[in-house]
Amino acid sequence: MHLLGELADATWLRLEDLLKDLDEPDKERQAFIDDTRQFFEQRLSIYRDKRKELENSIKKLNEQMYQLFDKLQLPRIKYDNNQMTLIEKRKTINEKIDELTNMVLERDRKLIQLRQIVYIKAKLTENMHINIDEISSTNEAYSILSDLTNKLKKLKGDIRVLLDEIYSLDSDITLNNSTAAKSFLSLNDENESSWLNDNNPLTGHSLYTELLRDYKHLQEKLLTEVVHLRTELSQKEPLPSCDLKEELVNLRLRKRYLSLLSSFPHNLTPNSSLNEIRQTYEQLTASLRAQAREKLERLWDQLDVPNDQRITPKTVDNEDDYLSMNDEIRRLETYVESIRPLLTKIQKREWYKREMIEFEKHAADPARLRGSSTQLLKEERFRKDLSREFPKLTDDLRFMVAEWEESIGKKLIYGGESYLETMNKEKLSVDFELLHLRLLTKCQVLVQGKSDQKISTENNNQLTSSTILSHHLKSVLPASTSPLPPSSINKSSTSRIPIMNSASTNRKLHKQT
């Protein structure tokens, strides 16, 4: 439109020059000039109006663009009028407005997320004076969030220290909020909201207050016990710097030692030092320690505890700690009694496992058949018993152990690890499965008869020796006993197992078993 206006002005000047050369009456000439001027003035008026309208539009767009720059806290950009037309300028400003609007929308979405995180962390730390609706920028939100994150980190540290203090006073104490405290210490941005929902109306700050109350109550309880033991044992109050926990442990040990020494002659008094009492006790209970050690070994044997886990409790002087051994004995006796029905089955299954291995070693020796015509029958009987009893025993144990663990809430430990995991590992172990499969395969080869005769036709020499041994068995077995097929006798006598050609063969044998 800028060029159009210039063109209109130039054309009007050119017309005036042309009219000067016309030899027309002045009246007609003037009328033509007036009409032409009127036409161009009308067109120029329309142009000026549109130009003014376009300039006003650009001005409004500029204001809108500058507001977006200010909202995003970005420096303003100005466009040089000499470098582009009004149409180009309007197009450029509109594109910039669209870009800035998208940035504002993205910023608002981010701001909403940050406000929500600020709200959760403020609630956890009980900084509820923060009004998230007044947070107007992401920079402000990040600043507040950083402060709250530091407060939450400090709160976690305080709770962790407080928990350690509580359990140091009493390691066996059960706290009402122990689960909430442990989960609070593992909080991150993803699970903070769910923690608040799961532990409502608790917050991190109120959790700390509850734990602090438990700690003070425990201190009062232990102090009461300390005072009682002081009185009972005629002990003077310790120095103010003495640790409550240390004093309580000493008083409990003193009382326990003196109680156990009551059946022994000694010259100790309530004022004797704890070390003196302990040394006297160790001297008088030397024989008892040996008995306790033997009893502990028997319990370990019952549970098949590995050697590296058979740790005898020691005193600071590297002597067997009779008190600790007694505590461990009582714990193991209670445990053994609780799994008594299962322990019998477990020990039976372990016996089967050992026999399976020994049987495989023995069956690999061809000399075992010399001088004994009943060896193959014994092997067959063992395989039959194993194929019937071992899988059933394993299935029963897996169900019983799982049921026991669910009811008790602990894992059943045998052989130094979870017995359920032991059975699962054996089930997945190729070596163990093949050992079991070989025994079951041998059993099936012995009882399947003619259906498996193909297995024994490897060469003429094997067939001949098998036939001879079969005739020998016919002569020694009762008439009612069916002679074993040559293939079965051959396989048992050589202790060689036919190679399974596919996984489906293994599955078929398991299914038949």
Side-chain angles (χ1 to χ4, degrees):
M1 294 186 72
H2 183 65
L3 294 176
L4 182 60
E6 293 178 353
L7 180 61
D9 290 336
T11 304
W12 170 250
L13 294 174
R14 180 60 179 160
L15 279 173
E16 285 186 337
D17 292 338
L18 290 173
L19 290 174
K20 290 178 182 178
D21 298 332
L22 293 177
D23 188 16
E24 293 289 338
D26 292 341
K27 186 176 182 180
E28 291 182 2
R29 183 175 179 275
Q30 187 62 40
F32 178 77
I33 292 174
D34 293 341
D35 291 341
T36 305
R37 181 183 289 109
Q38 184 180 2
F39 170 77
F40 277 102
E41 286 179 351
Q42 288 176 352
R43 299 308 299 172
L44 287 173
S45 176
I46 294 172
Y47 162 74
R48 291 189 186 97
D49 290 342
K50 288 185 177 181
R51 181 183 180 88
K52 188 175 182 180
E53 181 182 349
L54 185 56
E55 288 175 345
N56 290 334
S57 174
I58 291 174
K59 184 178 180 181
K60 291 180 180 179
L61 290 175
N62 267 327
E63 292 177 357
Q64 183 180 350
M65 181 179 66
Y66 293 150
Q67 288 176 358
L68 291 172
F69 275 124
D70 295 341
K71 194 171 185 179
L72 293 168
Q73 297 181 349
L74 296 174
R76 294 183 176 187
I77 297 177
K78 294 183 179 181
Y79 297 97
D80 188 357
N81 294 337
N82 298 325
Q83 297 298 323
M84 60 182 71
T85 65
L86 293 177
I87 297 295
E88 291 173 343
K89 188 174 181 181
R90 183 177 65 179
K91 180 182 177 182
T92 303
I93 293 175
N94 274 324
E95 291 175 350
K96 193 64 179 178
I97 286 174
D98 290 340
E99 178 187 346
L100 295 173
T101 301
N102 290 331
M103 291 175 64
V104 169
L105 291 175
E106 181 62 29
R107 189 209 64 172
D108 289 344
R109 282 194 293 268
K110 185 65 177 177
L111 185 57
I112 290 172
Q113 294 176 356
L114 291 174
R115 283 175 175 176
Q116 184 62 26
I117 297 174
V118 166
Y119 172 77
I120 293 172
K121 291 188 183 294
K123 190 172 182 181
L124 282 170
T125 56
E126 290 194 7
N127 284 267
M128 300 310 296
H129 62 280
I130 299 175
N131 187 352
I132 61 173
D133 294 329
E134 295 179 355
I135 301 175
S136 58
S137 67
T138 54
N139 290 337
E140 183 183 0
Y142 278 123
S143 177
I144 297 173
L145 194 56
S146 176
D147 182 56
L148 290 175
T149 301
N150 291 333
K151 289 181 178 178
L152 185 58
K153 184 178 180 180
K154 182 179 182 303
L155 184 58
K156 284 183 179 180
D158 293 341
I159 289 178
R160 184 178 286 106
V161 170
L162 190 54
L163 277 176
D164 292 341
E165 288 289 336
I166 291 173
Y167 287 119
S168 68
L169 291 177
D170 187 352
S171 58
D172 297 325
I173 190 173
T174 302
L175 300 173
N176 295 330
N177 296 312
S178 59
T179 303
K182 291 175 182 177
S183 59
F184 183 82
L185 294 178
S186 60
L187 280 182
N188 51 48
D189 291 340
E190 286 74 23
N191 59 8
E192 287 175 349
S193 179
S194 60
W195 187 91
L196 285 171
N197 293 331
D198 295 340
N199 297 281
N200 186 53
L202 272 181
T203 65
H205 191 272
S206 63
L207 173 63
Y208 177 79
T209 303
E210 292 286 336
L211 291 175
L212 187 60
R213 186 181 297 111
D214 291 337
Y215 176 66
K216 290 180 178 178
H217 177 72
L218 180 60
Q219 274 190 319
E220 292 173 359
K221 179 181 176 182
L222 295 181
L223 183 58
T224 302
E225 183 181 355
V226 165
V227 172
H228 175 74
L229 288 172
R230 284 176 190 162
T231 305
E232 184 179 351
L233 297 171
S234 302
Q235 295 294 306
K236 296 179 180 179
E237 291 190 11
L239 298 174
S241 60
C242 183
D243 182 75
L244 176 63
K245 177 191 173 185
E246 181 181 355
E247 183 188 1
L248 182 60
V249 171
N250 289 340
L251 289 172
R252 285 174 176 173
L253 280 175
R254 179 184 291 272
K255 180 181 178 180
R256 190 173 181 185
Y257 280 133
L258 290 175
S259 175
L260 292 171
L261 284 171
S262 61
S263 57
F264 294 92
H266 60 81
N267 298 321
L268 298 171
T269 66
N271 293 324
S272 300
S273 68
L274 181 59
N275 285 335
E276 185 180 357
I277 294 174
R278 182 187 288 110
Q279 290 173 3
T280 303
Y281 175 80
E282 296 295 340
Q283 293 170 2
L284 294 176
T285 58
S287 60
L288 295 179
R289 288 203 304 275
Q291 295 174 14
R293 194 183 306 111
E294 292 177 3
K295 196 169 186 177
L296 199 53
E297 288 287 345
R298 287 197 298 271
L299 288 167
W300 283 337
D301 289 339
Q302 277 187 277
L303 297 171
D304 196 26
V305 177
N307 290 331
D308 60 344
Q309 295 184 21
R310 298 189 177 196
I311 302 174
T312 305
K314 301 289 185 180
T315 64
V316 292
D317 300 323
N318 203 29
E319 296 283 344
D320 288 349
D321 190 340
Y322 180 64
L323 293 179
S324 298
M325 283 195 293
N326 270 343
D327 292 339
E328 182 65 7
I329 287 170
R330 280 195 294 271
R331 186 187 72 81
L332 290 178
E333 285 178 340
T334 303
Y335 175 67
V336 167
E337 193 59 34
S338 69
I339 64 168
R340 181 72 63 188
L342 296 172
L343 188 57
T344 303
K345 289 181 175 291
I346 290 173
Q347 291 172 340
K348 183 177 180 181
R349 184 177 182 276
E350 292 299 307
W351 177 84
Y352 268 131
K353 286 164 57 178
R354 291 191 296 271
E355 289 299 310
M356 286 164 61
I357 296 172
E358 290 300 320
F359 179 84
E360 278 294 296
K361 291 180 181 178
H362 184 65
D365 182 13
R368 75 192 191 285
L369 299 175
R370 297 172 186 171
S372 174
S373 59
T374 61
Q375 180 61 32
L376 289 176
L377 294 178
K378 290 179 181 178
E379 291 180 5
E380 178 189 358
R381 189 178 301 111
F382 176 78
R383 292 185 179 110
K384 282 184 176 179
D385 290 343
L386 183 68
S387 65
R388 181 179 63 255
E389 292 293 333
F390 190 80
K392 183 179 183 302
L393 182 59
T394 300
D395 291 340
D396 290 346
L397 263 178
R398 185 173 282 109
F399 173 78
M400 294 172 69
V401 170
E403 190 176 44
W404 184 89
E405 290 185 349
E406 184 177 357
S407 63
I408 300 299
K410 297 180 180 179
K411 290 187 177 182
L412 190 149
I413 304 299
Y414 183 88
E417 65 177 357
S418 165
Y419 198 69
L420 199 58
E421 293 178 8
T422 298
M423 291 190 289
N424 291 335
K425 289 178 183 177
E426 291 172 352
K427 184 177 180 180
L428 298 175
S429 172
V430 176
D431 295 338
F432 184 83
E433 188 67 17
L434 287 178
L435 175 61
H436 189 191
L437 178 62
R438 285 198 296 269
L439 293 172
L440 299 184
T441 303
K442 286 183 179 182
C443 178
Q444 288 191 355
V445 169
L446 288 170
V447 299
Q448 283 176 352
K450 294 182 179 180
S451 61
D452 291 330
Q453 286 184 1
K454 295 179 181 179
I455 302 176
S456 64
T457 58
E458 296 176 355
N459 54 61
N460 293 332
N461 292 334
Q462 290 177 338
L463 181 59
T464 303
S465 61
S466 300
T467 305
I468 294 172
L469 186 54
S470 177
H471 287 308
H472 175 69
L473 285 176
K474 285 182 181 179
S475 63
V476 298
L477 292 177
S480 59
T481 305
S482 300
L484 299 175
S487 61
S488 300
I489 299 172
N490 181 55
K491 298 308 165 192
S492 295
S493 62
T494 61
S495 187
R496 294 293 180 183
I497 307 302
I499 297 175
M500 299 301 163
N501 293 326
S502 66
S504 61
T505 308
N506 293 344
R507 290 195 296 269
K508 179 179 177 183
L509 290 173
H510 279 297
K511 185 175 181 183
Q512 291 173 344
T513 303

